[in-house]
Amino acid sequence: MQKPSVGASGATSYHRLRTPGEGIRIGEAIGLDDADFDAGRELLVIRNAKYGKHRLVPLHPSTTGALTRYAELRRQAHPFPASPALFVSTAGTRLLHSNIGLTFTRLAGQAGLTRRSASCRPRVHDLRHSFAVSTVLGWYRDGADIAALMPRLSTYLGHTDPQHTFWYLSAAPELMALAGQRLEAHLAGGS
């Protein structure tokens, strides 16, 4: 019986590693061990993140399901893992940041994502920015109190201060347009 493939060059690992809905840093994802994924509670435990901090990251049920399926596939492909890592290479070892970058570049090309210029190319970290922007866009559309929710998003992303999260949001034209509309409505006496 042939072992299931975990993916060429770790592509399956990569896909599960960075679902845009979770917003974790690539280094945090690489550092995850099996014990850091709690499917029953739908949580990831991020240990020793930036500045040595730890945090819990709640998962969407679809992400929990995808990670559970990935973990089973990985167990079938590597019944005696060489590493406690949650995400492994085709050799069963912890993923390397450099290999993830190469795999992402290849997958981005296959998906038709192109460079906007010689210095502006799709990057893995852009998914984290997209997560932050999408979250705040959803809050604006729902009429939420953005100021009250920003500390939560900052904590979720592992930022020490909301000002670090605002940096992620500053280059999003759609978000800036919604913020401007809300300001105009406020100044005009609306809600």
Side-chain angles (χ1 to χ4, degrees):
M1 183 170 162
Q2 188 177 21
K3 289 181 180 178
S5 172
V6 175
S9 301
T12 302
S13 288
Y14 174 78
H15 174 71
R16 300 299 178 231
L17 178 115
R18 280 306 290 238
T19 55
E22 306 317 326
I24 65 175
R25 295 177 181 97
I26 195 68
E28 294 170 345
I30 291 170
L32 289 170
D33 287 337
D34 274 332
D36 298 328
F37 171 50
D38 185 338
R41 292 176 45 208
E42 296 187 322
L43 287 173
L44 285 177
V45 179
I46 307 294
R47 300 176 197 282
N48 299 312
K50 205 169 188 178
Y51 308 114
K53 302 268 186 182
H54 304 313
R55 72 182 188 283
L56 298 176
V57 175
L59 300 172
H60 187 274
S62 65
T63 302
T64 300
L67 285 172
T68 300
R69 289 187 300 278
Y70 166 77
E72 181 54 35
L73 242 179
R74 192 208 52 222
R75 276 190 284 282
Q76 291 173 25
H78 303 286
F80 304 103
S83 166
L86 178 61
F87 299 108
V88 298
S89 68
T90 55
T93 58
R94 191 175 299 278
L95 295 174
L96 300 175
H97 197 283
S98 59
N99 290 347
I100 290 170
L102 293 171
T103 300
F104 180 81
T105 298
R106 182 176 51 80
L107 293 173
Q110 289 173 358
L113 300 177
T114 58
R115 302 181 130 196
R116 289 188 301 191
S117 70
S119 63
C120 185
R121 67 195 182 336
R123 305 166 308 142
V124 173
H125 199 70
D126 295 337
L127 297 174
R128 185 169 155 83
H129 289 250
S130 295
F131 168 81
V133 170
S134 295
T135 298
V136 177
L137 280 172
W139 290 344
Y140 268 109
R141 289 185 183 123
D142 293 343
D145 182 347
I146 306 302
L149 292 171
M150 283 305 291
R152 292 181 189 178
L153 179 59
S154 294
T155 300
Y156 189 90
L157 292 170
H159 291 159
T160 56
D161 190 299
Q163 72 182 5
H164 301 127
T165 307
F166 282 113
W167 181 84
Y168 277 33
L169 310 173
S170 63
E174 185 179 5
L175 187 54
M176 295 299 104
L178 286 170
Q181 290 170 6
R182 186 174 279 189
L183 178 60
E184 285 178 11
H186 174 75
L187 293 174
S191 55

